[in-house]
Amino acid sequence: MARSTERQQAKPHLVEEWVGRIYTFLCILLLIVTIFSMVYFVASKGLSTFFVNKVNIADFFTGVKWSPDGVPPLFGALPFIFGSFSTSILAALIAAPMGICASLFMVEIAPKFGRKYLQPVIELLAGIPSVVYGFVGLSVIVPFFRNVFPGQGLGIAAGSVVLAVMILPTITTITTDALAALPSGLKEGSYALGSTRWQTIYRIVLPTTLPALLTGVVLGIARAFGEALAVQMVIGNAPHIPHSLFESTSTLTSAITLSMGNTAMGSAQNNALWTLALILLLMTFVFVFIVRWLERRSKI
Amino acid sequence: MQEIALSARNLSVHYGDKPAVKNISLDFASKEVTALIGPSGCGKSTFLRSLNRMNDLIPGAKITGQILIGDEDINNPATDVVSLRQRIGMVWQRPNPFHKSIYENIAFGPRYHGIKSKKKLDEIVEESLRKAALWDETKDRLHKSALALSGGQQQRLCIARSIAVKPDIILMDEPASALDPVSTAKIEELIAELKKDYSIIIVTHNMHQAARVSQKTAFFLNGEVVEYDQTVNMFSNPQKQETNDYISGRFG
């Protein structure tokens, strides 16, 4: 008798368990299906440039002329690939030292002031919409470059500066967390041997946290690589490889946003844009793998 | 008359308004091991950390009084803490080897004090590891990561690392409390060996350890020194009731 009442009590719990289990499983299933179908869609569209429209893969990646409407149509995506890599890497070169130094200041030099005032301000930067960055870049940075350097001011330099400001919060936030997570025993150990703060930072703090610092930089590059709007506003959008940093050029993202409304679904022009999207997607995977690899290295 | 390595004169440490160490005066004999014992929170670690100005790193810590090496007051703000810490080394409870090779861990300090010659550094590394009784275990893998060593080996590496800058005094903050009994025994042997060359001040929770390794013992309670005497006297014939209660295990 007693046993059967116990069973009756146990049942609702079992149902709860299963409802929870099925619900969470469905959520993750939906997520996985979405991701896979997106990758499949982009890949099938992007690859049909080569298999349906018979564009030569080598020509696509090494060609420097992009004129999908020309006769014959030319699909040389190298200028876009070059533009994307050069702007994001240049942006990281500008933003990484600044971000890491800002983190050092906040964690090692003025922790009280840094944590209370600087970090919220830097995190605020991350929340500004990219169109605002682009607009400021177009109204301030582009005219400045036009006045100081030969050219129209639009180009890789302007794009990199705008991107650098945009990725600064990403890099700073991640590197700050990395520095703060360093066991204090290591720093004390270094101080106790009579090293100065600078020696401790340079010889202990930075080398020990290096993988985590690089993670921040790579995530910054990934963000810069994927940013479309702000870059498109200041880069000029001419589809060729520029001769200087102040000459109009394009990136993968800006090429897509600029032409996607003007092509018919299924046309060679449209498929070529999907190929650019596929390159972006694959690069994102590469960045994620690099970050994973670095994270594994930072756990010692 | 015994030579004095270091003396504290009316030393007090406050964290904010809270006194952690109250007006302590102690003399530490040269080439001897002095143990600081007492229950948790009695101020013994805080006191120890003040001696090489490590408390400077803690925001809100205020240290008053004098710490004398000879006639020099090293608690004076004008003292160069960098060269001070070269003279007073420190070893912590948890081994904290740098994420570098064994060799680089030892060479770290000397290199920063201006020794560049590879030959000289090699000598220092070998000598320090030998003194820390770690040479035989590590001589074949000097350039391997220090993090691959066992906890006890890491702790001896940290001792070797502090010896490498040639200090006069070594502060040890519960150096064996995170180690197994065998490693602990090795550290204790090492301490006995090291006192020939260095003055050692060791904080310990383990009274048997204090009795085994030290010549003098100071018993701390609530930020004050209750009793300071030869270890032998202290453990066989404590003068104060609190000391007797603590070492006989009635509290702590």
Side-chain angles (χ1 to χ4, degrees), chain A residues 208-244:
Chain A
T208 313
T209 54
L210 188 66
L213 298 182
L214 287 177
T215 301
V217 176
V218 173
L219 285 174
I221 295 179
R223 187 171 175 215
F225 205 81
E227 173 54 38
L229 197 56
V231 180
Q232 193 204 332
M233 290 168 81
V234 298
I235 202 149
N237 302 307
H240 58 68
I241 295 180
H243 297 98
S244 86

Side-chain angles (χ1 to χ4, degrees), chain B residues 129-192:
Chain B
L129 284 172
R130 276 191 195 283
K131 278 192 176 169
L134 196 59
W135 175 251
D136 290 334
E137 292 155 67
T138 56
K139 64 181 176 211
D140 299 324
R141 48 168 172 163
L142 287 177
H143 297 282
K144 297 268 162 59
S145 169
L147 301 177
L149 295 172
S150 74
Q153 290 173 325
Q154 288 188 4
Q155 193 62 299
R156 277 179 284 149
L157 179 71
C158 293
I159 294 173
R161 187 174 71 185
S162 61
I163 293 172
V165 295
K166 306 206 175 350
D168 303 318
I169 301 161
I170 302 175
L171 310 176
M172 297 185 176
D173 192 356
E174 301 185 38
S177 66
L179 306 177
D180 62 90
V182 176
S183 305
T184 301
K186 280 194 180 156
I187 298 278
E188 288 179 8
E189 264 171 50
L190 178 57
I191 291 171

Side-chain angles (χ1 to χ4, degrees), chain A residues 16-246:
Chain A
E16 262 177 32
E17 282 285 339
W18 275 101
V19 168
R21 196 179 269 218
I22 291 169
Y23 179 69
T24 46
F25 177 73
L26 283 178
C27 289
I28 193 75
L29 192 72
L30 187 70
L31 203 69
I32 292 172
V33 168
T34 313
I35 292 170
F36 270 95
S37 38
M38 250 181 76
V39 173
Y40 173 76
F41 183 68
V42 174
S44 69
K45 284 277 179 189
L47 291 176
S48 50
T49 308
F50 308 120
F51 298 114
V52 179
N53 306 107
K54 305 288 179 208
V55 175
N56 187 315
I57 295 186
D59 288 348
F60 191 90
F61 284 98
T62 55
V64 292
K65 261 219 143 63
W66 180 268
S67 58
D69 306 323
V71 188
L74 289 171
F75 297 99
L78 189 61
F80 305 139
I81 297 170
F82 175 81
S84 276
F85 274 101
S86 52
T87 44
S88 2
I89 288 169
L90 215 59
L93 287 180
I94 301 169
M98 275 168 52
I100 292 172
C101 289
S103 313
L104 280 175
F105 184 80
M106 287 194 288
V107 177
E108 300 292 336
I109 295 170
K112 246 186 175 165
F113 175 73
R115 278 298 156 99
K116 207 168 167 194
Y117 299 104
L118 292 177
Q119 197 155 16
V121 169
I122 287 172
E123 278 163 12
L124 204 69
L125 280 179
I128 299 175
S130 59
V131 65
V132 175
Y133 280 108
F135 204 14
V136 172
L138 192 63
S139 337
V140 179
I141 294 166
V142 171
F144 172 77
F145 281 151
R146 184 162 51 220
N147 294 335
V148 177
F149 300 100
Q152 304 156 298
L154 299 160
I156 290 178
S160 308
V161 172
V162 169
L163 282 175
V165 182
M166 289 183 75
I167 67 176
L168 193 61
T170 311
I171 296 181
T172 311
T173 310
I174 293 171
T175 51
T176 302
D177 291 345
L179 293 178
L182 184 76
S184 67
L186 287 181
K187 272 184 276 174
E188 287 194 328
S190 167
Y191 285 127
L193 292 172
S195 33
T196 61
R197 179 153 73 187
W198 169 242
Q199 288 167 345
T200 302
I201 288 175
Y202 189 70
R203 283 283 157 183
I204 298 298
V205 176
L206 290 181
T208 313
T209 54
L210 188 66
L213 298 182
L214 287 177
T215 301
V217 176
V218 173
L219 285 174
I221 295 179
R223 187 171 175 215
F225 205 81
E227 173 54 38
L229 197 56
V231 180
Q232 193 204 332
M233 290 168 81
V234 298
I235 202 149
N237 302 307
H240 58 68
I241 295 180
H243 297 98
S244 86
L245 293 176
F246 308 99

